[in-house]
Amino acid sequence: MLALLLALAAAALVAPLWVRALGRNAFYVLALVPLGGLGWVVANWGSTQRVRLEWAPSIEMNIDLRFDSLAAIMSALVLGIGALVLCYCARYFEDDEPRLGLFAAEMVGFAGAMFGVVTSDNMLLLFVFWEVTTVLSFLLVGHNAEQANSRRAAIQALLVTAAGGLAMLVGLIILGETNHSYLLSDLLARAQPPSGLAVNVAVVLILVGALSKSAVVPLHFWLPGAMAAPTPVSAYLHAAAMVKAGVYLIARLAPVFAENPVWHPLVLTLGVASMLLAGLRALEVVDLKLVLAFGTVSQLGFLVVLVGIGTPDAALAGVAMIVAHALFKACLFMVVGIVDHGAGTRDLRRLSGLGRRAPVLCGIAILAALSMAGLPPLVGFLGKESALGAILDADTLNGPARVALAVGVVFGSMLTVGYSIRFVWGAFADKPGLARPAAHGAHRVRRVSDYAESPGPVMEFGDEHASEDRGWHAPGRLFLAAPAILAVAGLAAGLAAPGTDRLLSPYAETFSEDLLSSLALWHGFTVPLALTVLIIAGGIALFQLRDRLRDPARPRLGNADRAYDATLRGMDRLSLRMTGAVQRGSLPLSQATILGTLIILPTALLALGTRTGVQLRLWDSPLQAVIGAIMVAMALGATVLRNRLASVLVVGVTGYGCGVIFALHGAPDLALTQFLVETLTLVIFVLVLRAFPAEIEAGRATPFKARRAVLAALVGAAVTVLGAFAVAARTAEPIWRRIPDAAYQFGGGKNAVNVLLVDVRAWDTLGEISVLVVAATGVASLVFRSRRFGSAPRAADSPHYDPDLVSWLPAGRLVDRADRSMVMQITTRLVFPTIMVLSVYFFFSGHNAPGGGFAGGLTAGLALTLRYLAGGRYELGEALPVDAGHLLGAGLALAAGTAVGSLFFGVPPLSSAIFEVTLPLLGHVKLVTALIFDLGVYLIVVGLVLDVLRSLGARLDSELATSETASTTGGSAR
């Protein structure tokens, strides 16, 4: 399984290269990968396979795969139909199709993601694959990105399914924590299903995700809109793969949760509602693709009902209908694509006589439509007949519920027969007044009410190269091959009913009850047979009444798409009002809101609590009191000083005082980092303040305001109280007592702080430095507007550079005499190497002594800052002639690469692998792989400092020099 997943991922990566080399024929080569996977599924049918690869065991995030009877059925559909759809793409697209290589990669990647969904045993891993299908669906639906309706449909599908996925994630976490395991196999193996309020909430949230993915009412509207995607996408994602993910999840959990009190009311009610409402809409729309789209929503409702009943007989009927639906619906979508290519339209009002012109295509469509309508001897009949019997015999439902469910399914099946006949009639029948099909490839503007439930006109998809030659463009044999195979497979599965039953019944046998029925073409004269006759008669009657059912001006069932748009508009208005209320452009107001929340919310919660034993110790030694008094005095001084630089300096004193307190408490790492960060912050403030007047203007000075003083005092008191309560909240042994020994035993280092950052909490650190890189890139883009302009300029780039002049620093003589300090340059020349050596020492010693990549990077940043202050912007280029963006990227790549590299040494990702060797001269050397991660942190910090110096320093210097030159020139001209 894991090898198959990797093969699909590799095929997706190389797909653009194959398409570039072979054109559209590359789809045939790519189809071999899922076809080979189908061979593996067939070879292992009936067996149970498991794969386990530890990734992050402490949070239950492991790669756990399980292949069983249900996974085998779904995998066969995903891989088999996926291979046929790829072959279909080879004749559907032209070689000059835009972004064809990317499309091929997304299709193959989607096959891999769906295979991951149906074989994941770990619920968290299942969610990861689930969301990958969501993202890939967004990209595939929006393939024609130049068209507004494609972009809108893609965003709509993304918002609905992703929101449902997030709800599902919360449910999976609740269920995993309640069950004490995130493995589906452990959940299914329980003798008694979990229960309780938390489990009920989890089930509801999981069903929200499943029903949104399978487009069940009221979250169905994204699927008809997704028909803006190319037809192969509809044939695969919206018939055989993506929309089956929700059905699969319900089928997977039904053996455990079918008797949960919230299960049947949600699953059965919404399933029948989808079957009825979407079936009626399929009789209203005039686009063949939309007929199939609403038919898909209706059938998905039927599937949800069957797999959600929770009996073995219903489960067998459910998986039979899953197979049948995948075969006939993928086939019919491909037929629509061929009709669109050949006739230039999908509007059933404009199609006439195609049955005579394309008898083979018509035969394929009829065969698939008969299966969709549930007529013998197709596989759809097997599933429909078994479904009716399973519903009538469902002992998990009371009498009235069984009757109501049976009535709803019978009427929904009548609608299915009606729109099945309407599809064949609309595509292939002779219609009075229409002698021939529309022009091949002609572009048309069609009302969206006929295409999708979305406002505004859209362009219909068709051949990019329009032709004025009217008539039918016959498809080639290879174009017909894929839908023909699917249609014949539906017939063969129906005729070989006993064999189909043997393949599908193992899933139904996983239920606790006994399986009583089987799939067969003839069960005798039974109630389901009588209902089937009634369904066929009712469906024919509905087809005869099709014109009365359709109102061209207004859909009888309303428009869910407009409700979606109204919801988005309402959320936009609400967000604007909230933003206008709390963010009025006033910095004091924003700060007061944040600080007021900090005071009120925690204090109110503490007041409601009953915790006692809170103690407050003011200091451990008088020196701490002295340092604290100095910090308080400096903080008060910052509020009254008018000189900007003086204010920054006194605020810096409070930071240095905090570092001293860290040191007094025995935290040298924190103290060192605090001193370095504070120093660098002071430098950044000084760089920025160069563009401001030295003093705050008298008119802009803020007078004393009692409200602000009271707010500040309350914030200080609230933080103090919270700290006291936090210390008193500990009831168990402090974890810090175990950290030093654990750091050396598992992380190979004596400095517990550094080991925590680069090993135990390395995922947190990776996230933080990722945010840091993003923030640095954002700031640089604001300052530089378009790009970073490469590395900093070197001395030779200056027009005033004279190589014969001797200076203590390479760019020292380029500094204006008024700003040049020889003492500063000489000191820098002597001190810079020492600081860099200290930086390297901090980096290498950080695993066992105070320091680390962060502290070493800050020290190197201070050395660069010193070079810049002494020699100007050209000296910065001499000190480090590297683009800051390259350093940031290299650092992030090293840090992230450590996660993957750890696996090669047999340890979990971002964990330390320890190597000990004895080398000549060096002696015994102990190397920990966390050093590579720390090197990434080092490079990111250096890159960040370089970015700051270039943006707030060198860039500002350049602009100031330009403005001074311009003002001097202007003054001379005057």
Side-chain angles (χ1 to χ4, degrees), residues 149-186:
N149 66 309
S150 293
R151 297 193 299 270
R152 183 183 187 279
I155 294 174
Q156 186 181 71
L158 178 68
L159 289 178
V160 175
T161 57
L166 292 176
M168 186 184 78
L169 174 61
V170 178
L172 293 176
I173 293 175
I174 295 174
L175 190 59
E177 293 299 319
T178 305
N179 190 51
H180 305 293
S181 174
Y182 283 84
L183 296 183
L184 288 169
S185 56
D186 290 346

XYZ file of all heavy atoms in Angstrom, residues 149-186:
274
model
N -16.866 31.693 -14.021
C -17.688 30.681 -13.369
C -16.839 29.516 -12.854
O -17.174 28.874 -11.853
C -18.770 30.168 -14.314
C -18.192 29.423 -15.495
O -17.308 29.931 -16.174
N -18.673 28.228 -15.752
N -15.721 29.221 -13.508
C -14.836 28.167 -13.014
C -14.195 28.578 -11.705
O -14.105 27.780 -10.760
C -13.755 27.862 -14.057
O -14.308 27.290 -15.210
N -13.748 29.815 -11.636
C -13.141 30.287 -10.391
C -14.170 30.286 -9.257
O -13.872 29.877 -8.137
C -12.569 31.695 -10.587
C -11.453 31.775 -11.610
C -10.728 33.104 -11.522
N -11.607 34.223 -11.782
C -11.832 34.742 -12.989
N -11.255 34.202 -14.058
N -12.633 35.773 -13.140
N -15.360 30.729 -9.567
C -16.399 30.770 -8.538
C -16.766 29.373 -8.061
O -16.899 29.125 -6.856
C -17.645 31.467 -9.094
C -18.755 31.623 -8.067
C -19.984 32.259 -8.705
N -20.961 32.558 -7.666
C -21.804 31.673 -7.141
N -21.763 30.423 -7.563
N -22.659 32.028 -6.205
N -16.921 28.440 -9.002
C -17.275 27.070 -8.632
C -16.175 26.436 -7.789
O -16.453 25.702 -6.823
C -17.527 26.245 -9.886
N -14.914 26.699 -8.133
C -13.806 26.128 -7.371
C -13.793 26.663 -5.943
O -13.608 25.901 -4.982
C -12.486 26.436 -8.077
N -13.985 27.966 -5.788
C -13.989 28.556 -4.446
C -15.169 28.038 -3.639
O -15.054 27.746 -2.438
C -14.013 30.091 -4.553
C -12.702 30.596 -5.172
C -14.237 30.730 -3.198
C -12.685 32.072 -5.445
N -16.321 27.907 -4.301
C -17.510 27.401 -3.607
C -17.286 25.980 -3.104
O -17.579 25.661 -1.953
C -18.699 27.456 -4.563
C -20.021 27.106 -3.925
C -21.147 27.162 -4.933
O -21.241 26.325 -5.818
N -22.005 28.165 -4.806
N -16.753 25.121 -3.975
C -16.475 23.743 -3.567
C -15.461 23.706 -2.432
O -15.583 22.910 -1.483
C -15.975 22.941 -4.767
N -14.447 24.568 -2.501
C -13.415 24.595 -1.462
C -13.999 25.031 -0.123
O -13.730 24.411 0.919
C -12.288 25.534 -1.890
C -11.147 25.707 -0.880
C -10.367 24.411 -0.738
C -10.213 26.836 -1.320
N -14.795 26.096 -0.124
C -15.333 26.610 1.137
C -16.249 25.594 1.799
O -16.147 25.351 3.015
C -16.094 27.918 0.875
C -15.254 29.143 0.512
C -16.157 30.344 0.244
C -14.269 29.476 1.616
N -17.125 24.978 1.014
C -18.097 24.057 1.604
C -17.412 22.800 2.130
O -17.605 22.398 3.284
C -19.184 23.698 0.573
C -20.127 22.639 1.142
C -19.970 24.930 0.180
N -16.605 22.171 1.292
C -15.984 20.907 1.707
C -14.897 21.119 2.754
O -14.719 20.277 3.637
C -15.416 20.170 0.491
O -14.480 21.011 -0.207
C -16.527 19.799 -0.476
N -14.144 22.216 2.655
C -13.108 22.471 3.662
C -13.725 22.800 5.017
O -13.221 22.363 6.058
C -12.196 23.602 3.202
N -14.816 23.570 5.021
C -15.489 23.861 6.289
C -16.028 22.579 6.916
O -15.893 22.350 8.129
C -16.624 24.859 6.061
N -16.620 21.720 6.091
C -17.064 20.430 6.615
C -15.910 19.589 7.116
O -16.034 18.882 8.124
N -14.775 19.662 6.415
C -13.601 18.914 6.856
C -13.087 19.376 8.202
O -12.657 18.555 9.031
N -13.121 20.678 8.457
C -12.674 21.185 9.757
C -13.598 20.716 10.872
O -13.141 20.364 11.976
C -12.602 22.710 9.721
C -11.514 23.301 8.824
C -11.616 24.817 8.795
C -10.133 22.872 9.294
N -14.904 20.727 10.604
C -15.840 20.198 11.599
C -15.556 18.723 11.854
O -15.571 18.255 13.007
C -17.273 20.398 11.117
N -15.279 17.996 10.784
C -14.977 16.574 10.922
C -13.712 16.353 11.748
O -13.636 15.415 12.551
C -14.821 15.943 9.544
C -14.635 14.433 9.567
S -14.342 13.743 7.941
C -12.607 14.164 7.735
N -12.717 17.212 11.573
C -11.474 17.076 12.336
C -11.742 17.173 13.833
O -11.213 16.371 14.626
C -10.478 18.150 11.900
C -9.175 18.223 12.709
C -8.402 16.914 12.601
C -8.320 19.394 12.256
N -12.567 18.128 14.216
C -12.899 18.248 15.642
C -13.591 16.976 16.129
O -13.293 16.456 17.212
C -13.790 19.486 15.866
C -14.189 19.587 17.338
C -13.059 20.753 15.438
N -14.519 16.451 15.316
C -15.197 15.215 15.698
C -14.250 14.038 15.813
O -14.367 13.227 16.734
N -13.302 13.935 14.889
C -12.333 12.840 14.943
C -11.458 12.936 16.191
O -11.145 11.915 16.814
C -11.464 12.847 13.685
C -12.168 12.516 12.365
C -11.193 12.651 11.196
C -12.758 11.115 12.391
N -11.068 14.148 16.548
C -10.244 14.315 17.752
C -11.035 13.924 19.005
O -10.523 13.232 19.898
C -9.728 15.760 17.842
C -8.738 16.040 16.701
C -9.063 16.020 19.189
C -8.273 17.467 16.627
N -12.295 14.375 19.085
C -13.122 14.002 20.238
C -13.282 12.490 20.297
O -13.150 11.864 21.366
C -14.499 14.693 20.142
C -14.353 16.213 20.254
C -15.426 14.176 21.235
C -15.652 16.965 20.033
N -13.549 11.894 19.141
C -13.745 10.443 19.105
C -12.462 9.700 19.460
O -12.483 8.709 20.202
C -14.223 10.039 17.702
C -14.715 8.600 17.528
C -15.882 8.326 18.457
C -15.112 8.359 16.083
N -11.332 10.175 18.941
C -10.068 9.532 19.248
C -9.712 9.615 20.714
O -9.237 8.635 21.319
N -9.931 10.792 21.315
C -9.619 10.944 22.733
C -10.585 10.138 23.605
O -10.190 9.571 24.630
C -9.672 12.428 23.118
C -8.582 13.274 22.488
C -7.193 12.826 22.889
O -7.000 12.487 24.067
O -6.305 12.803 22.020
N -11.840 10.074 23.200
C -12.816 9.301 23.966
C -12.524 7.810 23.882
O -12.651 7.071 24.874
C -14.237 9.584 23.444
O -14.490 10.990 23.480
C -15.272 8.875 24.295
N -12.112 7.367 22.692
C -11.836 5.951 22.470
C -10.430 5.557 22.910
O -10.085 4.372 22.907
C -12.027 5.628 20.983
C -12.011 4.144 20.697
O -12.718 3.370 21.342
N -11.193 3.732 19.739
N -9.578 6.567 23.233
C -8.183 6.347 23.617
C -7.380 5.710 22.487
O -6.366 5.049 22.731
C -8.083 5.482 24.890
C -8.852 6.030 26.039
N -8.519 7.215 26.668
C -9.965 5.571 26.680
C -9.362 7.460 27.647
N -10.256 6.484 27.671
N -7.832 5.890 21.278
C -7.109 5.401 20.101
C -7.670 6.097 18.873
O -8.879 6.316 18.768
C -7.250 3.894 19.955
O -6.658 3.459 18.726
N -6.777 6.427 17.953
C -7.199 7.066 16.707
C -7.271 6.068 15.553
O -7.429 6.480 14.407
C -6.238 8.201 16.341
C -6.462 9.451 17.145
C -5.892 9.614 18.398
C -7.264 10.478 16.656
C -6.099 10.746 19.145
C -7.481 11.620 17.392
C -6.896 11.762 18.629
O -7.113 12.902 19.362
N -7.186 4.793 15.845
C -7.245 3.779 14.800
C -8.688 3.341 14.585
O -9.398 2.990 15.527
C -6.390 2.570 15.173
C -4.879 2.804 15.313
C -4.175 1.493 15.619
C -4.311 3.435 14.050
N -9.111 3.352 13.321
C -10.453 2.888 12.999
C -10.615 1.410 13.342
O -11.685 0.974 13.763
C -10.736 3.122 11.511
C -10.954 4.573 11.085
C -10.957 4.680 9.562
C -12.259 5.115 11.648
N -9.555 0.638 13.149
C -9.632 -0.789 13.449
C -9.889 -1.026 14.932
O -10.642 -1.935 15.308
C -8.344 -1.491 13.013
O -7.207 -0.886 13.620
N -9.296 -0.215 15.809
C -9.563 -0.352 17.240
C -11.003 0.022 17.559
O -11.654 -0.608 18.410
C -8.610 0.529 18.047
C -7.187 0.023 18.011
O -6.978 -1.134 17.599
O -6.272 0.790 18.371
